[in-house]
Amino acid sequence: MRRKRAFGDQFGLGGHGSSPQPSRWVVCCQPVQYNTHVTFSIVFGGGGCRTFWGMGVLDSLGWPPPTEWAGASAGSAMCLIASTGRTDATLRRFVEATRLNRKNMYPVNAVLPFRKVFPHEEIYRDVLAHALDGPGWQSLRQASPVHTFLAYVRPGEPVARSVLGAVRSYQRRSRQNILHGASTLPRGIETETVTLQTLQSPQRVVDTVISSSATWPVTGLPRVAGRTYIDSAAVDGLPVRALSPSARRGKILIFLSNTVDPAKLPSNPNRMYLAPEVEPAISMWDYANPEKVLETFERGQREGRRLRSRIQDFIG
């Protein structure tokens, strides 16, 4: 076995403006030897900053690239980042941004010109653009297909009523412990899947992921060709439907960002659901707490090492 510093210590973080913390060490096991001929896909659910748990799991596994990726909301961002191979660099960028950003809301900006009350979208866009910097764009072009699930209000439909219907549908599924979106869409809502490799510029990729994550008032609600995009996780937080038909028939690793009673998980021999053992420390839109971002990522690394043998058995 080899020894490696815990990821957070590489940042010297112990709070805003604090001095570096003493190094602590974690034991990293040898990478799992997967059968590289087995094909599988990865679906990343939404959950904002909580999706860093799943990124920590992936970072710990030494996994081969999946055949396809699919994600909703922040899960689409994690699919993008992982596919570029720039997890470390992008995490560093986000941690630094959250270290500099001291609050999640700046009410005084409401009366100031050209200032935003919520800093999230600007930070989110910067981090996604950073993932595509340098070799990131070419890495994405050469990666397995990355499918981003999107939801929007149909042109001509009342936006407020349609969004409210989607939110109520999401809340009803949550109360009933239904993890996947319904096949019948809420009134006024349509969906689409965009494969990021079909887009012609990094800016288009960033815009697409932002549209998948749109959560007013924290972000805007992008309007394109009369469509008003909303948080796709409100329609289907675990978008297996975004995979190709052949991938949907194959083995799928599905990453959640919240705890789930194993007895309530859907039963499907070709699907493995991975969820945190305890609720992540960070909230979905907490962009002012780098310590909790790293705590969530490192917990994913630790739990990922405990999941290794189960994942190996599942993938083959």
Side-chain angles (χ1 to χ4, degrees):
M1 292 186 293
R2 58 190 175 88
R3 302 181 74 84
K4 176 183 177 182
R5 280 194 300 169
F7 201 96
D9 294 324
Q10 301 175 35
F11 296 86
L13 285 175
H16 288 297
S18 65
S19 58
Q21 296 295 297
S23 293
R24 61 190 190 275
W25 298 82
V26 295
V27 176
C28 297
C29 302
Q30 294 297 327
V32 175
Q33 298 301 311
Y34 294 103
N35 180 350
T36 57
H37 298 292
V38 173
T39 60
F40 69 100
S41 299
I42 287 178
V43 171
F44 235 110
C49 291
R50 293 178 163 216
T51 57
F52 280 110
W53 175 85
M55 288 295 281
V57 173
L58 285 180
D59 186 73
S60 73
L61 293 178
W63 47 272
T67 307
E68 296 184 19
W69 302 86
S73 194
S76 68
M78 296 303 164
C79 290
L80 164 63
I81 292 165
S83 72
T84 67
R86 287 174 53 80
T87 297
D88 286 6
T90 307
L91 180 58
R92 287 177 182 276
R93 185 78 163 201
F94 186 67
V95 167
E96 178 62 12
T98 57
R99 186 183 68 81
L100 296 174
N101 176 52
R102 297 185 175 277
K103 295 190 293 184
N104 284 306
M105 184 177 180
Y106 298 84
V108 69
N109 286 356
V111 298
L112 297 176
F114 311 112
R115 304 292 292 274
K116 293 185 176 181
V117 173
F118 297 96
H120 302 74
E121 184 171 340
E122 181 178 351
I123 294 172
Y124 198 175
R125 285 183 175 276
D126 174 75
V127 169
L128 294 174
H130 186 70
L132 295 168
D133 279 350
W137 173 243
Q138 190 59 33
S139 295
L140 172 64
R141 305 286 288 183
Q142 297 173 349
S144 302
V146 181
H147 307 299
T148 293
F149 182 67
L150 297 115
Y152 60 89
V153 179
R154 285 197 303 265
E157 294 285 349
V159 174
R161 187 186 70 187
S162 300
V163 172
L164 182 59
V167 171
R168 286 175 173 169
S169 177
Y170 167 78
Q171 292 173 335
R172 183 165 53 251
R173 294 196 308 273
S174 296
R175 288 194 299 269
Q176 297 172 355
N177 297 303
I178 299 173
L179 298 181
H180 296 278
S183 56
T184 301
L185 297 175
R187 182 178 178 183
I189 300 295
E190 294 289 349
T191 65
E192 64 178 322
T193 297
V194 173
T195 302
L196 297 185
Q197 284 89 345
T198 66
L199 303 176
Q200 299 305 307
S201 70
Q203 184 61 52
R204 290 286 305 278
V205 170
V206 171
D207 288 344
T208 299
V209 174
I210 292 293
S211 295
S212 180
S213 308
T215 307
W216 188 86
V218 179
T219 74
L221 296 180
R223 289 181 58 85
V224 180
R227 300 173 173 182
T228 301
Y229 285 87
I230 65 172
D231 185 2
S232 61
V235 177
D236 190 349
L238 298 173
V240 171
R241 69 179 79 188
L243 295 170
S244 69
S246 60
R248 289 198 296 269
R249 292 190 295 269
K251 293 187 176 182
I252 308 172
L253 289 175
I254 302 176
F255 287 81
L256 291 80
S257 60
N258 58 287
T259 57
V260 177
D261 182 351
K264 296 178 180 178
L265 289 173
S267 178
N268 186 320
N270 283 332
R271 298 181 184 181
M272 183 176 183
Y273 292 83
L274 303 174
E277 294 175 0
V278 298
E279 287 294 333
I282 196 163
S283 60
M284 293 175 60
W285 286 104
D286 189 351
Y287 277 32
N289 203 321
E291 293 85 1
K292 287 187 177 180
V293 172
L294 290 170
E295 180 182 343
T296 300
F297 181 82
E298 291 179 354
R299 176 174 287 278
Q301 288 178 312
R302 294 192 299 272
E303 293 180 10
R305 288 190 287 273
R306 291 197 288 272
L307 288 166
R308 280 170 175 261
S309 60
R310 284 182 54 205
I311 294 174
Q312 185 177 19
D313 289 343
F314 173 74
I315 292 178

